[in-house]
């Protein structure tokens, strides 16, 4: 089939039309509009007329780079989605714009991903992937200082996390739509993409290693464009945590998974699983248990936040002492 | 083979081809919206919509089989919805043994699953038809006329212009790798990590080539008087036929929705 030459393996993250409820599709469009609008505004501020041809060609690069693959085992192959690479090389705002146009052209020209749900796909693959990927990258580079492993480890971690978190966002949307119960969709999507993410991470690492040797100025380009790396780490963290907080709410049919589990005879195991924290909760009224979960999530956020801030300030103080 | 074969536009002079791209974009969006808003188990309404798609395909003369084949692309995603068959509460139809326990397939689960498939398949056929009967540059100015942000449309324009160039480049690199790595039993040589690194280097090279190409393109555009704005011919006004077709199909879609939701 001709189509398969452009996508060596189906990227399971392009949601087709019909799989999301109109409400979820609408929310996706709102998030996409806000994110892309912000990115347009910020990029206009940062760069002039130079940027449009550059971003157009580099969007075509992401498209073409998705064709590059390598065999893993048993007929499967690793390949690139590109969100983290785009954010690292171009900076987060230009990365969002680039990935948005890639997602749009994939949907319009190749019907890879739906038109009505394009907002959700842009949210997952452009906004969430770029923000989280860039946040992780900046965080690792901050910890590594000027050392080279920061670039490589940061690239790998950013690529892996961006793929997994985008997949989680996809699962949350499917859950809210009633297409697939969150208790099944979330572990399935996150599990599959935890593996896919390794391929993504390795290719991103390889690409960054080569570019940093051949044109070191280009790797530093995205850096200069967004000063205040720590702020980006917080943004990435916030996006990831928002998704974590949303996921327990994402099931209009919460008893579905429970029923499946009961039928299969492992209801006890299912109840111990982290994703059925609110077994008897009905949408959209918040039960006390749901509130408790969210409260727990907020406490978790604050702890992680505090740890990150502490680590960074410790690092800064040490650098100041060295200098 | 050149990658251009992937372009989904199918040249023609049918009435569907000649319809204004703005009208086509709007009608496609409306069609997909109607499919999304129709309640489950409205098989009659889904059937009428399928009839509408088939009729348009026949009118456009791009080939029924071609549209169906391209529409099959979304089917693997159906896997994501399969769980609805077991997870939706309702009257139990069958129980099947699974992993030592049983799974019960409910009637409402099957209905949900089939409705999702119907909506998805209807939508993708409409999208395929839109791409097959409208040249991409026309779609671009259709988007522009529908007030999408100008820089975004301009980036999409460049993306489309260089997509096939860079995809050809990527294909040549893959071919070169094939030629270098002999593997008699069909497996790739080296460890997985090594193969991944080679692929990463290919992505890096492709990035550098793309980046340098964009620099050359920018210089060439500057030399031709580029100042940051992309100028296009102003879109022609809508012909009476465009208005009539738009209103007619839009009305039919509205009626289908009304019928389905009553």
């Amino acid at each position: 089939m001709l189509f398969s030459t452009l996508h060596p393996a189906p990227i399971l993250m392009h949601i087709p039309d019909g799989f999301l409820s109109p409400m979820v599709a609408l929310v996706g469009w709102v998030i996409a509009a806000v994110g892309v609008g912000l990115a347009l505004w910020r990029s206009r501020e940062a760069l002039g007329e130079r940027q449009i041809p550059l971003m157009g060609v580099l969007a075509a690069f992401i498209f073409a780079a998705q064709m590059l693959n390598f065999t893993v085992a048993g007929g499967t192959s690793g390949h690139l989605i590109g969100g983290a690479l785009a954010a690292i090389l171009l900076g987060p705002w230009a990365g969002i714009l680039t990935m948005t146009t890639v997602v749009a052209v994939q949907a319009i020209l190749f019907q890879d991903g739906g038109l009505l749900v394009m907002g959700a796909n842009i949210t997952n693959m452009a906004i969430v992937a770029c923000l989280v990927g860039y946040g992780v990258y900046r965080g690792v580079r901050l910890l590594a200082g000027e050392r080279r492993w920061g670039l490589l480890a940061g690239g790998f971690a950013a690529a892996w996390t961006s793929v997994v978190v985008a997949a989680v966002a996809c699962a949350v949307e499917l859950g809210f739509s009633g297409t697939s119960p969150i208790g099944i969709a979330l572990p399935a999507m996150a599990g599959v993409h935890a593996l896919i993410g390794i391929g993504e991470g390795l290719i991103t690492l390889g690409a960054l290693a080569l570019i940093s040797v051949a044109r070191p100025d280009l790797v530093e380009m995205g850096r200069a464009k967004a000063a205040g790396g720590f702020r980006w780490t917080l943004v990435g963290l916030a996006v990831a945590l928002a998704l974590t907080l949303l996921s327990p709410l994402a099931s209009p049919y919460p008893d579905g998974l429970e029923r499946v589990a009961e039928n299969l005879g492992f209801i006890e195991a299912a109840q111990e699983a982290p994703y059925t924290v609110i077994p008897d909760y009905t949408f959209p009224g918040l039960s006390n248990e749901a509130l408790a979960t969210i409260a727990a999530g907020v406490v978790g956020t604050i702890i992680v936040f505090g740890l990150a801030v502490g680590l960074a300030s410790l690092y800064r103080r040490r650098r100041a002492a060295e200098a | 083979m050149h990658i251009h074969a992937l372009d989904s536009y199918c040249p023609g002079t049918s009435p569907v081809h000649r319809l204004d791209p703005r009208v086509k974009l709007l009608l496609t969006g409306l069609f997909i919206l109607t499919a999304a808003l129709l309640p489950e188990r409205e098989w009659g309404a889904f059937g009428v919509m399928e009839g509408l798609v088939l009729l348009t395909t026949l009118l456009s003369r791009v080939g029924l089989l071609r549209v169906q084949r391209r529409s099959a692309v979304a089917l693997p995603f159906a896997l994501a919805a399969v769980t609805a068959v077991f997870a939706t509460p309702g009257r139990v139809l069958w129980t099947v043994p699974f992993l030592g326990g049983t799974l019960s397939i409910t009637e409402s689960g099957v209905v949900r699953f089939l409705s999702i498939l119907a909506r998805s398949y209807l939508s993708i056929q409409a999208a395929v038809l839109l791409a097959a009967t409208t040249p991409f540059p026309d779609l671009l100015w259709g988007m522009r006329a529908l007030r999408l942000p100008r820089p975004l449309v301009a980036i999409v324009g460049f993306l489309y212009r260089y997509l096939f160039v860079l995809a050809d480049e990527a294909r040549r690199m893959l071919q070169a790798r094939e030629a270098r790595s002999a593997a008699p039993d069909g497996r790739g040589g080296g460890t997985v990590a090594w193969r991944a690194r080679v692929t990463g280097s290919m992505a890096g090279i492709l990035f550098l080539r793309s980046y340098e190409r964009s620099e050359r393109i920018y210089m060439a555009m500057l030399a031709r008087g580029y100042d940051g704005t992309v100028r296009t011919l102003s879109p022609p006004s809508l012909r009476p036929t465009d208005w009539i077709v738009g209103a007619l199909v839009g009305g039919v879609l509205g009626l289908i929705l009304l019928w389905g939701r009553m």
Side-chain angles (χ1 to χ4, degrees):
Chain A
M1 197 167 80
L2 280 179
F3 185 82
S4 60
T5 42
L6 253 192
H7 284 298
I11 300 179
L12 253 180
M13 230 186 278
H14 293 89
I15 307 172
D17 277 318
F19 284 77
L20 294 185
S21 68
M23 199 57 208
V24 174
L26 183 71
V27 172
W29 274 114
V30 170
I31 299 174
V34 170
V36 173
L38 212 60
L40 275 172
W41 181 58
R42 291 303 302 256
S43 324
R44 185 170 299 202
E45 223 169 50
L47 292 147
E49 97 278 35
R50 171 80 189 84
Q51 200 188 17
I52 285 175
L54 169 70
M55 293 209 308
V57 175
L58 292 184
F61 153 74
I62 295 286
F63 220 120
Q66 290 183 347
M67 290 169 63
L68 303 176
N69 64 335
F70 63 94
T71 36
V72 177
T76 56
S77 60
H79 59 92
L80 193 72
I81 299 172
L85 189 62
I88 292 170
L89 289 173
L90 306 174
W93 298 120
I96 287 178
L97 290 183
T98 307
M99 287 306 288
T100 300
T101 55
V102 169
V103 171
V105 170
Q106 274 167 342
I108 296 168
L109 207 55
F110 302 106
Q111 290 80 46
D112 200 9
L115 296 179
L116 194 68
V117 299
M118 198 200 287
N121 282 328
I122 289 175
T123 301
N124 301 345
M125 278 178 285
I127 295 173
V128 168
C130 286
L131 287 183
V132 171
Y134 194 70
V136 169
Y137 173 73
R138 299 298 315 189
V140 175
R141 292 222 67 177
L142 208 67
L143 291 176
E146 292 305 312
R147 273 152 296 195
R148 184 174 155 79
W149 65 262
L151 172 74
L152 303 181
F156 181 87
W160 186 86
T161 323
S162 76
V163 169
V164 173
V165 176
V168 167
C170 184
V172 167
E173 286 152 11
L174 289 172
F176 267 118
S177 301
T179 301
S180 181
I182 189 77
I184 297 170
L186 186 65
M189 286 294 277
V192 168
H193 286 87
L195 292 176
I196 290 179
I198 296 175
E200 174 99 8
L202 288 173
I203 298 180
T204 304
L205 185 157
L208 287 175
L210 185 123
I211 295 166
S212 71
V213 173
R215 287 282 300 267
D217 55 312
L218 292 185
V219 181
E220 299 310 309
M221 183 176 73
R223 250 189 120 179
K225 249 179 244 160
F230 188 58
R231 226 179 314 140
W232 283 108
T233 308
L234 295 188
V235 169
L237 204 68
V239 172
L241 279 162
L243 275 168
T244 317
L245 294 187
L246 266 178
S247 54
L249 305 179
S251 190
Y253 304 97
D255 44 353
L257 178 74
E258 220 175 287
R259 213 172 48 79
V260 171
E262 201 163 15
N263 287 337
L264 289 175
F266 52 73
I267 186 75
E268 293 82 12
Q271 269 169 345
E272 273 161 34
Y275 42 83
T276 48
V277 267
I278 325 167
D280 294 312
Y281 143 84
T282 47
F283 195 78
L286 284 175
S287 72
N288 287 335
E289 283 167 275
L291 285 177
T293 315
I294 290 173
V298 170
V299 170
T301 314
I302 293 169
I303 293 174
V304 176
F305 228 65
L307 268 174
V309 172
L311 259 176
S313 68
L314 207 75
Y315 166 76
R316 263 192 210 146
R317 216 171 302 154
R318 225 183 58 202
R319 280 205 66 186
E322 276 170 15
Chain B
M1 182 204 83
H2 268 261
I3 217 82
H4 311 131
L6 282 170
D7 199 346
S8 31
Y9 178 59
C10 191
T13 52
S14 74
V16 185
H17 283 83
R18 276 179 286 136
L19 196 63
D20 189 276
R22 286 166 288 187
V23 176
K24 270 191 272 191
L25 260 174
L26 274 181
L27 286 181
T28 309
L30 223 61
F31 184 91
I32 297 174
L33 190 66
T34 308
L37 289 175
L38 274 178
E40 284 169 14
R41 78 179 84 222
E42 283 301 326
W43 309 124
F46 288 137
V48 172
M49 291 186 76
E50 180 62 35
L52 211 57
V53 168
L54 292 179
L55 195 70
T56 319
T57 315
L58 281 179
L59 262 177
S60 72
R61 291 194 288 268
V62 293
L64 281 176
L65 201 70
R66 184 190 159 95
V67 171
Q68 298 309 314
R69 210 172 36 214
R70 280 200 80 108
S71 302
V73 159
L75 288 182
F77 207 90
L79 205 64
V82 139
T83 46
V85 171
F86 315 106
T88 317
R91 193 165 57 82
V92 175
L93 288 184
W94 305 283
T95 45
V96 287
F98 181 76
L99 289 180
T102 56
L103 280 176
S104 44
I105 297 173
T106 61
E107 193 255 354
S108 46
V110 173
V111 167
R112 171 174 298 260
F113 177 64
L114 290 180
S115 302
I116 289 173
L117 278 194
R119 288 193 195 111
S120 169
Y121 200 66
L122 283 170
S123 309
I124 195 162
Q125 287 176 92
V128 168
L129 213 49
L130 173 71
T133 60
T134 322
F136 198 75
D138 282 9
L139 275 179
L140 271 184
W141 78 241
M143 284 182 227
R144 186 70 208 108
L146 295 175
R147 299 277 173 276
L148 261 82
R150 191 182 281 274
L152 212 57
V153 178
I155 297 172
V156 172
F158 278 101
L159 163 57
Y160 178 73
R161 181 156 297 180
Y162 292 100
L163 164 63
F164 300 103
V165 177
L166 295 184
D168 265 342
E169 186 119 42
R171 205 180 43 76
R172 279 196 299 274
M173 292 171 84
L174 286 171
Q175 204 169 29
R177 185 184 61 178
E178 293 277 289
R180 289 194 306 270
S181 15
D185 55 351
R187 286 183 298 112
T191 63
V192 171
W194 178 79
R195 284 201 292 270
R197 220 190 58 217
V198 170
T199 313
S201 299
M202 285 161 69
I205 290 282
L206 189 63
F207 172 77
L208 290 179
R209 287 188 190 164
S210 312
Y211 187 83
E212 278 156 14
R213 186 186 289 274
S214 85
E215 282 174 337
R216 291 196 301 275
I217 291 165
Y218 175 61
M219 295 302 173
M221 288 173 69
L222 271 188
R224 286 166 178 77
Y226 175 67
D227 62 355
T229 52
V230 178
R231 291 178 180 80
T232 50
L233 297 174
S234 56
S237 53
L238 293 175
R239 297 168 300 151
T241 349
D242 296 323
W243 284 106
I244 295 168
V245 172
L248 211 67
V249 180
V252 167
L253 288 173
L255 281 179
I256 292 174
L257 191 58
L258 211 65
W259 174 45
R261 293 195 73 95
M262 264 192 325

